[in-house]
Amino acid sequence: MCLFLVSIVGCKQEKTASYIKVDNNQAYVAKIQEYYSQHLDSCIRLLEEINTLEAVSEKLRKYKSARREFKLIEPILAFTDKENYKSVNAPNLLKVEEEDATDIKIRNPFGFQVIEELLHEDQVDLVAVKETVCKTANRLKLIANNNKLYLKKYHVLWLLRDQIARIALVGITGFDSPVLEQSLIEAKTNYETLLFIVNVYKNEFSSLKRYTALVNELKETQKVLQEGEFTSFNRFYFIKNHAHKQLELLANTVEDWKVEFPLTMAFNNNITSLFSKETFNINFFNDYHQAENAKVKEKIALGKKLFNDTSLSKDGVMSCATCHIKDKAFTDGLVAFPKQIRNTPTLAYAAYQQSFFHDGRAGSLEGQIVGVVENKNEFHTDLENLTTSIENDSAYVASFTSLYGKVNDFNIRNAIADYIRSLGDFSSKFDKNINKKENTLTTSEINGFNLFMGKAKCATCHFPPVFNGTVPPNFSETEVESIGVPNLEETGLDSDLGVYNVFKTEERKHFFKTATVRNISKTAPYMHNGVYKTLQQVVDFYNKGGGQGLGYHVSNQTLPADKLNLSENEIQDLIAFMETLTDE
């Protein structure tokens, strides 16, 4: 009997054990660590060999080899060490960091993009090449000495998702291959690493069918990239039929691995599209976000009422809606509102940025509203009087008591900000087409998108999916640019110094925040001073190389001064695409 009972218990234990899934994640990460270290070391070695060669052609050949190794480690480095990744892959532009008036840092650029440009100058500065190569290699050595990876399964899924998005939204635009324009082959190299990681985690899949579908799609994408040519590549087709398919397969992988995410970053954890209201976690962009059950819809409705209420201003005639008119995509159609010096920016999609006003001087929508309240040419009041006016309205008091517990200036500003955050629903013709909800884009409109993302280089500053200056896939920084906008007479550079006025940093003269292109058909006139009335004029300005291309002296212009050489047909296609970004 004892032996019989032992036998039964043993069988039960064996049966139970067969259902226990062993956590092999540590072993998987060790394989990724080995891969990462190997290619990181190889990248450093190849970089240093550049300085041992005499001929520029040989240096360039070695650079390309080092760059390939860098692209192999990019998915891992960009996820695990974002700041160092940005440093070694930064554009050839001064890096200005302005924390506050007492902490301003100005750094000369280094890294792969700088080396690439230096090696393609008419007269190559060998000393500058040597110094930049050394600095880049040294930074990579620092990374190599501190490259221990700590990845959980949800980290790996984030890493895969972020790289798929980085390739689709930034990589294939030529953003970090400014001269060679080898973005497609570099994207193919990225996918080599994504395939490696998926294969490492093969045994984590309970469904072989799901694993095979993901691997086959990644391999098919590599073929598409291999066969592509930078100028003619169909980026619309690529995102619609490959990037989005990969996100869908990744969402299936989340389900297959039974992964639970501890938090949500800028992207929602279950995204299947890069161009949807469901793509983003709006709270990521909001320093003051509320809990999920905090009556957000009611707060938005309250904010809308406040947004349209003229009694909030000192003279009782101006509301937010006075300058931000819904039918004009929340602009006003004027060069500048009376007594203002700058054009009224759209509020649609304002939520998806990290700084506000044309000069980026506010860090939140709540902070931006303070500027409006206190501006003598706008509300011309203060936060105390604003609060008092709300407290004198019993209906408002009841709403604020119910939703916030009390009336105060922050809660007033938060309600208005929550309404503004609700503006922009990705309902445009373009969004519907790239999400396969309809098939109505013309050949001209598709060509225009491909130009925007490629030859015309618009997307290297106006990053999709919001087409503003907030950089994907992390969305932690909203860029400012100097493009050399003319004055209203178009006789010279506009006198507005933009970002410079915030901290008086010399290197920031004539810099402005990159605005969204969404709803651009409704937001004329254009530029911070409203100098251009039509999109034709805007594209012509960029086609000529911005202010420098027009012959103005623009120190630190971030827009390349080279002509784009767009044909008249290409210009019309580009405009046709931008007009598809109008929301319903």
Side-chain angles (χ1 to χ4, degrees), residues 244-315:
H244 283 177
K245 184 176 181 180
Q246 290 156 30
L247 292 174
E248 291 172 9
L249 293 170
L250 205 59
N252 291 339
T253 303
V254 173
E255 181 183 334
D256 187 280
W257 292 7
K258 295 179 171 56
V259 169
E260 294 184 5
F261 296 93
L263 72 158
T264 307
M265 304 300 286
F267 285 132
N268 281 320
N269 290 318
N270 59 344
I271 65 169
T272 57
S273 167
L274 294 167
F275 295 83
S276 165
K277 195 169 185 178
E278 286 70 46
T279 300
F280 289 105
N281 166 29
I282 197 70
N283 283 335
F284 175 84
F285 301 88
N286 175 12
D287 292 340
Y288 312 104
H289 66 269
Q290 307 292 334
E292 289 183 5
N293 60 349
K295 301 179 180 178
V296 174
K297 289 184 179 179
E298 291 86 348
K299 288 179 180 178
I300 289 172
L302 174 59
K304 182 177 181 179
K305 184 177 178 181
L306 293 163
F307 185 89
N308 290 280
D309 191 343
T310 58
S311 70
L312 302 187
S313 61
K314 183 178 180 179
D315 57 11

Side-chain angles (χ1 to χ4, degrees), residues 135-183:
K135 190 169 184 178
T136 306
N138 287 338
R139 179 61 63 90
L140 289 170
K141 287 177 183 177
L142 178 66
I143 295 169
N145 289 332
N146 299 275
N147 76 341
K148 181 67 175 175
L149 300 180
Y150 299 94
L151 299 173
K152 296 185 178 181
K153 284 189 287 187
Y154 66 84
H155 289 137
V156 173
L157 292 168
W158 277 344
L159 185 158
L160 294 170
R161 178 201 65 193
D162 285 1
Q163 190 61 33
I164 291 167
R166 181 178 292 108
I167 292 167
L169 303 177
V170 182
I172 58 175
T173 68
F175 176 74
D176 63 348
S177 185
V179 184
L180 290 170
E181 293 186 341
Q182 56 181 16
S183 301

Side-chain angles (χ1 to χ4, degrees), residues 467-479:
F467 299 101
N468 67 1
T470 309
V471 188
N474 300 317
F475 300 96
S476 57
E477 176 188 9
T478 298
E479 291 188 343

Side-chain angles (χ1 to χ4, degrees), residues 64-113:
K64 290 179 180 178
S65 297
R67 177 71 174 176
R68 171 176 160 74
E69 294 297 309
F70 176 74
K71 281 294 174 176
L72 286 170
I73 66 171
E74 179 181 73
I76 303 167
L77 175 61
F79 180 79
T80 60
D81 195 348
K82 294 178 177 62
E83 292 307 312
N84 273 321
Y85 166 73
K86 287 195 294 185
S87 293
V88 296
N89 197 40
N92 190 14
L93 301 167
L94 279 178
K95 178 68 173 176
V96 181
E97 299 173 0
E98 299 172 305
E99 292 298 325
D100 56 56
T102 65
D103 186 15
I104 297 173
K105 301 181 181 69
I106 300 170
R107 308 180 191 278
N108 288 316
F110 67 98
F112 285 92
Q113 291 192 55

Side-chain angles (χ1 to χ4, degrees), residues 14 59 65 138 208 228 263 283 323 406 426 525 545 571 579:
E14 183 179 345
K59 289 178 182 290
S65 297
N138 287 338
L208 181 61
L263 72 158
N283 283 335
C323 297
K406 62 180 179 180
F426 296 88
I571 290 172
E579 290 175 342

Side-chain angles (χ1 to χ4, degrees), residues 520-549:
I520 198 167
S521 66
K522 290 188 173 185
T523 60
Y526 306 106
M527 303 301 183
H528 67 269
N529 59 356
V531 62
Y532 294 131
K533 295 179 176 63
T534 68
L535 287 174
Q536 180 82 31
Q537 292 172 315
V538 172
V539 177
D540 182 65
F541 168 78
Y542 285 108
N543 198 27
K544 291 176 178 175
Q548 288 185 2

